[in-house]
């Protein structure tokens, strides 16, 4: 960086809410499988607490050294269904409890990987893990779960989609005394990536090494501020300004990743440049879209503005670093973005519009509260719709829906912290149960057959 870039970055950090959203350590548990579940869980605990023993300490030192706020320190592990299956047990809640204890022992904010990959078929272990999710999320504090139910190559596993609609409702019921927070820690994916540092969907892929560091950078406020200087100018000028800003943000993320990697002697593998918002004023993706020229996010033109933003962020990041991966782009979680919350509360932003937006952004229908009486089949149908977008467009999509038991449209729910609060959004009253109950597979699209 030259002196001008250093001054610009310092201003981003001090005035524009630029932060490192997460440093996530991925840990392989593949050799922790054991025919005796108790032994497997002890291996898992020992592996996590050994590898991540100094993670929080060293990340905080790096943050102080460079004057950078590093909001979260996290661990992701090999999908537990791949490990627990060897035990022959028929309930995996104890594995979630082990992850919870290990994560708390090393001081991380979240630990992800209570996961299964069932886009083709589900093994017995996968089915047990999925059935264990409601209790696992109700009986732990920092464990996050994910299930990949579809991909461009495999199609969509509708049996898994049907079951996960039920699981989400069960999870909400078990945590209704905590504002139904259980489903907020569960993501259903299509085309999940193995190097995602962001919760609740992070897991350490089976093709990854023994241990890896992944950095997630965020800066919606920085991008919003940069665009204020080009008001009224043509769209290509807007895209150029976003690219320049993303370039600077990525350089900072790589600096933090490399320094942390050196201190922990763990390979730095990915910088995920995702504009992940928070409920704080001035840290909103929605406000970026409005700066581009929308009266409020959700109105006509929103999808086009988001497409420009997402593409420009990726282009700027790729010019800055060879380590860009994960998801990278723009996230649109309703409860975590004060601009999205305002648009949803006013009625300008609907689930249908959010679905259209997911065709051009980083992930999908994220942190959306729906009425507590929403049928499981409707939840499954929403998952199927979103997975279809990912499958056809060869991109990652995801669903994190929260049915809020005992509440309906016009009310709201508060989760606190980065999870924020959300107005309860209406869903269509029509019945999708006959479609969902068919089960089976939605076949892979014709363009999946490439070798």
């Amino acid at each position: 960086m030259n002196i001008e870039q250093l001054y610009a970055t310092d201003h981003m950090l001090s005035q524009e809410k630029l932060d490192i959203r997460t440093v996530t350590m991925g840990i392989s548990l593949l050799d922790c499988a054991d025919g005796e579940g108790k032994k497997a869980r002890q291996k898992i605990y020992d592996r996590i607490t050994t590898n991540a023993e100094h993670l929080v300490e060293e990340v905080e030192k790096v943050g102080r050294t460079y004057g950078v706020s590093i909001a979260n320190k996290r661990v992701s592990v090999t999908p537990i269904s791949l490990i627990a299956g060897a035990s022959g047990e028929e309930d995996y809640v104890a594995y979630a409890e082990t992850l919870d204890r290990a994560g708390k022992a090393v001081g991380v904010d979240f630990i992800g990987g209570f996961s299964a990959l069932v886009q083709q078929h589900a093994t017995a272990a996968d089915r047990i893990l999925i059935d264990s999710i409601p209790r696992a999320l109700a009986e732990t504090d920092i464990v996050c779960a994910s299930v990949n139910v579809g991909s461009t190559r495999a199609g969509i596993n509708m049996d898994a989609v049907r079951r996960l609609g039920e699981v989400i409702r069960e999870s909400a019921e078990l945590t209704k005394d905590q504002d139904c927070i259980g489903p907020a820690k569960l993501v259903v994916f299509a085309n999940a990536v193995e190097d995602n540092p962001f919760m609740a969907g992070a897991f350490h892929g089976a093709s990854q090494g023994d241990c890896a560091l992944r950095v997630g950078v965020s800066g919606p406020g920085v991008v919003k501020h940069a665009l204020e200087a080009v008001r009224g100018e043509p769209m290509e000028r807007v895209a150029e300004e976003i690219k320049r800003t993303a370039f600077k943000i990525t350089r900072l993320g790589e600096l933090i990743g490399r320094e942390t990697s050196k201190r922990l002697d763990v390979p730095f593998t990915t910088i995920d440049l995702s504009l992940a918002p928070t409920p704080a004023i001035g840290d909103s993706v929605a406000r970026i879209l409005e700066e581009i020229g929308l009266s409020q996010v959700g109105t006509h033109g929103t999808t086009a503005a988001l497409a420009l933003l997402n593409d420009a962020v990726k282009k700027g990041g790729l010019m800055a670093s060879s380590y860009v991966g994960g998801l990278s782009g723009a996230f649109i979680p309703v409860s975590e973005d004060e601009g999205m919350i305002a648009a949803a509360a006013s009625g300008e932003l609907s689930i249908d519009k959010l679905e259209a937006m997911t065709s051009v952004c980083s992930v999908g229908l994220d942190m959306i509260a729906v009425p507590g009486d929403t049928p499981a089949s409707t939840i499954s149908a929403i998952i199927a719709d979103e997975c279809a977008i990912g499958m056809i467009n060869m991109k990652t999509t995801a669903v994190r829906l929260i049915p809020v038991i005992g509440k309906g449209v016009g009310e709201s729910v508060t989760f606190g912290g980065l999870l924020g609060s959300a107005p309860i959004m209406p869903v269509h009253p029509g019945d999708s149960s006959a479609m969902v109950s068919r089960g089976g597979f939605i076949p892979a699209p014709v363009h999946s057959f490439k070798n």
Side-chain angles (χ1 to χ4, degrees), residues 29-65:
L29 303 180
L30 287 175
D31 61 354
C32 294
D34 196 288
E36 188 176 329
K38 188 175 180 179
K39 289 183 179 178
R41 290 189 287 275
Q42 187 61 52
K43 291 179 185 178
I44 290 170
Y45 182 87
D46 292 344
R47 175 64 53 80
I48 294 168
T49 54
T50 299
N51 280 269
E53 180 181 7
H54 301 295
L55 173 65
V56 172
E57 171 191 353
E58 294 300 334
V59 168
E60 290 178 348
K61 285 180 182 178
V62 171
R64 288 194 297 269
T65 298

Side-chain angles (χ1 to χ4, degrees), residues 178-181 335 369 404 407 412-417 419-423:
Q178 303 171 62
D179 288 318
C180 302
I181 198 169
S335 79
V404 185
K407 292 190 176 183
S412 63
V413 61
T414 300
F415 303 110
L419 296 179
S421 62

Side-chain angles (χ1 to χ4, degrees), residues 19-27 48 51-52 55-56 59 70-77 103 106-113 142 144 196-203 211-218 264 272 276-278 331 336 400 417-419:
D19 66 5
I20 303 297
R21 186 56 49 86
T22 179
V23 175
T24 301
M25 177 180 282
I27 301 173
I48 294 168
N51 280 269
L55 173 65
V56 172
V59 168
I70 301 175
N72 277 263
K73 301 86 183 174
R74 301 166 176 172
V75 166
S76 62
V77 299
V106 299
V108 293
D109 300 283
F110 291 105
I111 183 163
I142 62 173
C144 293
N196 168 24
F198 287 102
M199 299 298 171
F203 62 88
C211 201
L213 273 183
R214 299 173 185 122
V215 172
V217 185
S218 187
L264 291 170
D272 187 322
T278 72
F331 285 6
E336 299 173 16
R400 193 160 40 148
L418 285 177
L419 296 179

Side-chain angles (χ1 to χ4, degrees), residues 186-207:
L186 168 62
V187 178
V188 183
F189 276 116
N191 289 322
V193 296
E194 296 186 331
D195 59 349
N196 168 24
F198 287 102
M199 299 298 171
F203 62 88
H204 187 70
S207 68

Side-chain angles (χ1 to χ4, degrees), residues 154-166:
I156 302 172
N157 183 343
M158 288 299 292
D159 289 322
V161 168
R162 177 179 57 192
R163 177 64 185 125
L164 280 159
E166 298 165 352

